[in-house]
């Protein structure tokens, strides 16, 4: 019996310890943002790394998701004579769910992995100890610029993904599915509200924060050389992706209370 | 300047330090010798707060650093330079950026001032003209010298060296030893050198401490160490592995 509770308790304790470390890192970072000077060069480098260099991935993701979603929606809606409603469904879905979630998953894979690998390598090669020994606090130097760059870049990337997705859906609808463009646009504009865009950007901001802290924490706690860095990187991507998907559900439920869907 | 009192440290199940007591006077060069894996580097990292002991006190310039948080330790660390065993250079920066890093972090923005100071340091470490190289293209000895330049550019009052000559050929090792001596003589820096290279220890140190089984087994001058008849010390000095001293 004791062994059973031991076996059950150890991972539970480890999980709560991990959550605690994440919360402490986040607290430390926000305190540092408010009380210490920002290293603008590092921040701008990270904006380029996270925002600018993720453009291609996000544009492709948005375009093909919008296109395939428009096609699938049309195939189903057309059976009941509602083909022209495709635009509204595509637009609202991409704003509220697909845009933020898919962008976050792509950023977790591309940027989160890079962050944890870079910080993890610095950890196992004593570069982080060198920073500390030189009286530079690693959170200020490594985490703050990345966190701020992520907070700025994620909403912009999600907005871009949504715009490209809607445009791709429109293009497919009028060119391949032969939907009347005027009806498509009219329905889309009628059913898509500012609150859908606010919801998308709110989610983007939250997902960005999740990805950056999970990835940085994994990097900062890496050990045991190259194997440890590899493990930290994999865990950063997996944990970030799961966190995005799980939080998306709760954010949807919460934000739906504040910004209800539909024409009201 | 540095006082270590009853410091104990356990890593996993292994007791690395079992009550280390040690003092380093201002301007002195102390070599800490001992067998590989005996806790010398762990002790060194404790001196600058990179590791926290399970018990004991560490006093730097009259301040007990145990219990200080990372930001409080920053003020202490500004007075101490540390040369890591691997050099620990920032691999995304050039040699010049690495060496200038502490000054830039201290608020120096003028590129001309930074460049001049880096050139001075490159001259000290005999690596003129190498400022644009990346760490990956440097040899082990060069990395250590750049690491040393980075740790002393802010003119700390104390420098800690972790195995400064390990893995280097005798000529490069001698150049590092000369550099350590020069820093002590010219700038009066207090130095703590962790090494198992006896030639290096005798070359640079005023005092030598022998760390054995987690405690300071011997602390004295190089001459006292050479004259010691203790079998454990003799085994280490003569490099005997058959344990005649045990």
């Amino acid at each position: 019996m004791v062994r059973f509770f031991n076996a059950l308790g150890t991972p539970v304790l480890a999980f709560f310890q991990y959550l605690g470390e994440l919360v402490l890192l986040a607290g430390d970072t926000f305190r540092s943002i408010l009380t210490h000077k920002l290293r603008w060069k590092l921040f701008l480098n990270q904006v380029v790394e996270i925002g600018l260099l993720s453009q291609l991935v996000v544009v492709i993701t948005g375009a093909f998701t919008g296109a395939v979603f428009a096609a699938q929606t049309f195939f189903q809606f057309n059976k009941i004579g509602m083909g022209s409603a495709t635009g509204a469904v595509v637009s609202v879905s991409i704003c509220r769910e697909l845009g933020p979630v898919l962008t976050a998953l792509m950023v977790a894979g591309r940027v989160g992995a890079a962050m944890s690998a870079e910080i993890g390598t610095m950890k196992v090669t004593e570069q982080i100890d060198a920073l500390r020994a030189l009286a530079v606090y690693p959170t200020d130097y490594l985490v703050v610029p990345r966190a701020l760059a992520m907070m700025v870049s994620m909403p912009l990337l999600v907005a871009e993904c949504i715009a490209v997705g809607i445009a791709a859906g429109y293009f497919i609808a009028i060119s391949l599915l032969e939907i009347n463009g005027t009806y498509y646009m009219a329905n889309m504009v009628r059913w898509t509200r500012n609150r859908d865009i606010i919801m998308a950007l709110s989610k983007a901001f939250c997902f960005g924060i999740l990805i950056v802290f999970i990835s940085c924490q994994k990097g900062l706690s890496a050990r045991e050389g190259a194997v440890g860095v590899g493990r930290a990187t994999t865990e950063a991507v997996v944990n970030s992706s799961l966190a995005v998907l799980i939080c998306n559900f709760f954010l949807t439920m919460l934000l739906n209370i504040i910004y209800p869907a539909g024409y009201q | 300047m540095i006082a270590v009192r009853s410091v104990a440290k356990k890593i996993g199940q292994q007791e690395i330090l079992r009550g280390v007591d040690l003092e380093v006077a201002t301007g002195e060069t102390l070599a800490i010798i001992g067998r590989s894996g005996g806790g010398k580097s762990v002790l060194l990292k404790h001196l600058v707060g990179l590791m926290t002991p399970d018990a004991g006190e560490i006093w730097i310039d009259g301040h007990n650093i145990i219990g200080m948080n990372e930001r409080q330790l920053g003020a202490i660390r500004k007075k101490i330079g540390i040369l890591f065993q691997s050099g620990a250079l920032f691999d995304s920066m050039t040699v010049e950026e690495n060496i200038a890093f502490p000054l830039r972090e201290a608020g120096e923005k003028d590129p001309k001032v930074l460049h001049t100071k880096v050139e001075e340091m490159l001259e000290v470490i005999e690596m003129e003209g190498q400022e644009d190289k990346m760490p990956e293209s440097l040899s082990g000895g060069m990395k250590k010298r750049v690491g040393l330049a980075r740790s002393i550019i802010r003119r700390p009052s104390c420098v800690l060296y972790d195995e400064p000559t390990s893995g280097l050929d005798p000529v490069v090792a001698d150049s590092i030893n000369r550099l350590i001596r020069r820093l002590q003589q010219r700038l009066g820096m207090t130095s703590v050198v962790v090494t198992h290279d006896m030639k290096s220890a005798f070359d640079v140190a005023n005092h030598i401490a022998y760390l054995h089984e987690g405690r300071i087994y011997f602390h004295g001058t190089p001459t006292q160490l050479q004259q010691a008849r203790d079998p454990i010390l003799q085994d280490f000095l003569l490099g005997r592995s058959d344990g005649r001293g045990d």
Side-chain angles (χ1 to χ4, degrees), chain B residues 22 34 40 44 86 105 119 136 140-141 161 175 179 209 212 242:
Chain B
L22 194 64
K40 304 185 296 293
L44 199 76
S86 60
E105 282 299 317
E119 283 199 328
E136 66 194 17
Y161 303 86
S175 76
L179 200 54
H212 180 67
D242 54 0

Side-chain angles (χ1 to χ4, degrees), chain B residues 30 46 83 141 172 181 202 230 235:
Chain B
L30 171 77
H46 277 85
L83 170 62
V172 177
R181 279 201 307 270
F202 283 118
D230 186 285
D235 279 353

